[in-house]
Amino acid sequence: MNLLIKDVRVPYGDKTAITNIYITDGIIASIGATPNGFVPDETIDGKDKLAIPTFINAHTHDYMTILRGVADDLPFMEWLFDGVIPREDKMTRDQAYWSSLLGCVEMIKRGTGTFCDMHMFGGVSAKAALDCGMRAVLGRGLVGTEGGQLRLDEHYAEMEQFGG
């Protein structure tokens, strides 16, 4: 499918220009010059609009989306160790996936296309990001001292298993 965004304001360095954006199958084919043989299937009027790259959320825990508002009246350490972590420990991989998916949808809705996530469930954040067409930088969250070195070694092994 060919999409034309017509007469949209696009930033160039410290200036902006009003131009056209040509998209073929979801990929920008050109900004400004019409690609050879390009015939739009759909045209969007970009007048009074600004086209910018998506945002990057550099710190998130998208699998925790369903925990929003839990114990949020507590000081941070109580919130984390008494309110959130006990609930995380009971969360299933399936619940974490659907919560991650909701987090991705909410990020997309607000203009985020890439996120960095410290997940606790190997692979679920990656699957949610892929299912939504997002880019993600993922790693295993490491927190707390319960279990000592043995627990830390287990978490590190999980990180290696899921590639980050």
Side-chain angles (χ1 to χ4, degrees):
M1 178 175 154
N2 287 335
L3 174 66
L4 168 61
I5 304 175
K6 190 170 180 56
D7 300 326
V8 66
R9 187 170 297 278
V10 176
Y12 287 101
D14 62 349
K15 300 177 182 157
T16 62
I18 296 175
T19 189
N20 298 329
I21 301 175
Y22 302 88
I23 301 170
T24 300
D25 297 328
I27 297 173
I28 296 174
S30 178
I31 299 175
T34 306
N36 288 338
F38 186 92
V39 177
D41 298 304
E42 181 181 349
T43 300
I44 295 174
D45 182 6
K47 186 178 179 202
D48 298 324
K49 304 285 189 274
L50 177 67
I52 60 172
T54 60
F55 298 115
I56 298 171
N57 183 340
H59 183 135
T60 188
H61 304 271
D62 69 338
Y63 72 93
M64 291 175 61
T65 303
I66 61 172
L67 298 177
R68 185 182 295 128
V70 167
D72 63 355
D73 58 336
L74 298 177
F76 178 75
M77 296 304 276
E78 288 177 52
W79 167 82
L80 181 61
F81 291 103
D82 297 337
V84 172
I85 291 178
R87 287 171 174 88
E88 280 181 349
D89 289 343
K90 293 178 183 174
M91 191 182 274
T92 67
R93 291 182 63 75
D94 193 52
Q95 290 168 334
Y97 168 75
W98 288 105
S99 185
S100 294
L101 197 62
L102 175 60
C104 288
V105 168
E106 289 179 351
M107 284 188 274
I108 291 168
K109 184 177 178 183
R110 289 167 179 81
T112 297
T114 304
F115 66 98
C116 178
D117 193 74
M118 289 60 66
H119 60 89
M120 306 295 276
F121 299 89
V124 298
S125 293
K127 181 171 175 14
L130 287 170
D131 289 348
C132 288
M134 294 184 78
R135 294 176 302 263
V137 178
L138 305 172
R140 170 66 163 93
L142 301 174
V143 66
T145 57
E146 283 187 34
Q149 188 63 45
L150 179 61
R151 186 71 173 139
L152 182 61
D153 290 345
E154 289 172 3
H155 288 177
Y156 188 74
E158 288 174 10
M159 256 189 339
E160 287 183 325
Q161 179 183 0
F162 293 102

